[in-house]
Amino acid sequence: MIRLEEVTKVFPDGTEAIREATFEVEQGEVCVLLGPSGCGKTTTMRVINRLIPITSGKIYIDGVDNSSIDEDELRRNIGYAIQDIGLFPHMTVRQNIETVPVLKGWPKAEREKRVEELLELMRMDPGEFMNRYPSELSGGQRQRVGVARSLGADPQILLMDEPFGAIDPITRIELQDEFLKIQRKIKKTIIFVTHDIYEAIKMGDRIALMNEGRLVQYDTPANLLYRPKNEFVEKFVGTDRALKGLQLIRVKELMCGSPPTVKTDEPAEAARECMEREGINQMVVICKAGKFLGWVEWTDLEKGEMVGEIMKPSSDFATIDAVLNEALSIMLSTRRNSLAIVNEDNGLAGVLSFDAIQEALGEMAQRGEIE
Amino acid sequence: MIEAWQFLMRNPEVVAGWTLEHLWIVLVACGFAVILGVPLGIYISGRGREHIADPVLYLAEIMMTVPSLALFGLVMAILASLGLRAIGFTPAIIALIIYAQLPILRNTYTAIRQVDPAMIEAGKGMGMNERQLLFKVKLPLSVPVIMAGVRNAVVMTIAIAAIAAIIGAGGLGKAIWWGLRGARMDLILVGGIGVSILGLLADAFMSRVERWVTPKGLRM
Ligand SMILES: Nc1ncnc2c1ncn2[C@@H]1O[C@H](COP(=O)(O)OP(=O)(O)OP(=O)(O)O)[C@@H](O)[C@H]1O
Ligand SMILES: [Mg+2]
């Protein structure tokens, strides 16, 4: 948990980089610091790990005043990915990643294991990359190594300053998705800086929108979009909120998490009963392990004895981190009014129906959000 | 020219002796210069030491512009006033150390001050203390520039050591000096060409060393 209480930072030259900021990031949450260039995002990170002193206020890490912790110790326990990546060019990928473990005196075997683990997490082959130098990596690979390095000693708290800043849009979406997957597993407390509102809404459990050193609104992505506190927020969010809304709501927020399902080895009769009971005309078919296989339709029920014979296999689905417009475009291409949603190991996570999307859009409209 | 060649042919071991002596002087002077210059450069590059750094670097710049002959005179005067021997190997070495140390000191200081702030931010941000930051980040990144200073110092010292023969340092300068006094063209040429060749060889050698000690990831 990270808590800032009326934190103010005035640089010696008189620049007020942070003005009385108060907010709290819960354990296991991603807080996105969002705002125009120069609004104080990097400065906020740097006062949290005490790279620079604050002028007034208090900062608590897990309830402990950070000024009472030894500063090197504090920083070794907070992962920090700096804005310019900052890999050490004279060290290999391995040496870069194990920087903090070395500082903490981990034994060699443990360090090696950790480096391999982290490279795999970042989808980089340890054998291939471990002994390369940063100059032998692409920009995207460097950024991954930077993120891996910040995770080096498995800190519970992470500060990431535009970790995907210098990356092309496609790789960036990939990295974002990977990041969300990883975060679901490792549940760190993260402050994530960006000035891209799309990235902010996709990545953040909460967003802290800053302007000229002030925290303007600290809220969930949805509230920031649809309940802007003032004109600045409204302007920053942009005029096409309806479209952004589509683009920025995650599938998992709208999907039905426990849809009726049948397994391939069940009789067609079971599927019929269930469809009648639920008043639906198609059902998701899964395998024993819970993986998504396809659909069985009402009109096909007569065509065989077992579900396995009559189902229509399908490989059209979206992952739970997909945003609404990605899901919608897959749904439209399948000509089905429902879309299977899977989690990272392809297990069925839920079903997203067109009705649910419409309903959500309707609700937004009611709140006056769609002009 | 021919006389010089004949001299070399007739007295190879004498010329070899001068050359070795010359190299020895350069090695000792540059060795001490590194031992003094690098730590001093590191020290004055530290945070909050600008008030020391500025005068030290200023002094170094001035000393570099002092003609070497004058510097030798100065060192002799200081040593003599302290009641020490002012002629011979030691005073010559002292003068050479002072000279050779200037490019090393300056380059060390510049290299450390010019380390990318992002590197320092990253190192500190991960919990390195000042010492770890210096040895793990700043110094390795400064090696190429520091080594350029050392190379500079070596080449310079080879030339200046020839002049140091005046106060009895020995080496190839001795040949030049004797030649000048006795109007022996062959000796002047042997000494002069010897120093030039030595300078070129040392430069080539040092550029190898420079490459060799540069951390692998920094080599292009
Ligand atoms: N060391 C410093 N001395 C004086 N002013 C500074 C210093 N560091 C930052 N500032 C100023 O503080 C303000 C906030 O800077 P900060 O780096 O936090 O911005 P940012 O939100 O991270 O911007 P960006 O998105 O461009 O990275 C800016 O006006 C900047 O010029
Ligand atoms: Mg910044």
Side-chain angles (χ1 to χ4, degrees), chain A residues 103-117:
Chain A
L103 292 175
K104 288 187 140 199
W106 288 19
K108 192 158 185 272
E110 217 167 302
R111 293 197 316 251
E112 251 158 40
K113 209 177 105 218
R114 183 69 184 152
V115 170
E116 281 182 22
E117 221 172 76

Side-chain angles (χ1 to χ4, degrees), chain A residues 258-358:
Chain A
S258 49
T261 58
V262 284
K263 299 200 174 70
T264 42
D265 58 356
E266 283 183 73
E269 199 42 41
R272 176 199 301 279
E273 270 168 31
C274 185
M275 284 190 206
E276 271 172 353
R277 192 169 61 238
E278 302 280 337
I280 51 179
N281 57 12
Q282 57 182 1
M283 272 177 84
V284 177
V285 182
I286 55 176
C287 71
K288 278 211 190 72
K291 290 202 161 83
F292 169 68
L293 295 177
W295 295 87
V296 56
E297 287 170 16
W298 176 260
T299 48
D300 292 337
L301 283 175
E302 307 292 327
K303 292 182 182 160
E305 287 290 308
M306 305 298 283
V307 170
E309 298 163 32
I310 58 174
M311 68 172 267
K312 292 207 166 88
S314 164
S315 55
D316 293 310
F317 53 78
T319 59
I320 56 176
D321 290 313
V323 290
L324 215 51
N325 77 321
E326 290 168 4
L328 198 58
S329 101
I330 299 172
M331 196 187 287
L332 292 174
S333 73
T334 63
R335 295 162 55 198
R336 207 179 278 286
N337 61 9
S338 293
L339 183 67
I341 309 299
V342 302
N343 53 34
E344 59 255 40
D345 36 324
N346 277 335
L348 184 78
V351 167
L352 177 69
S353 68
F354 191 72
D355 292 347
I357 298 178
Q358 261 186 326

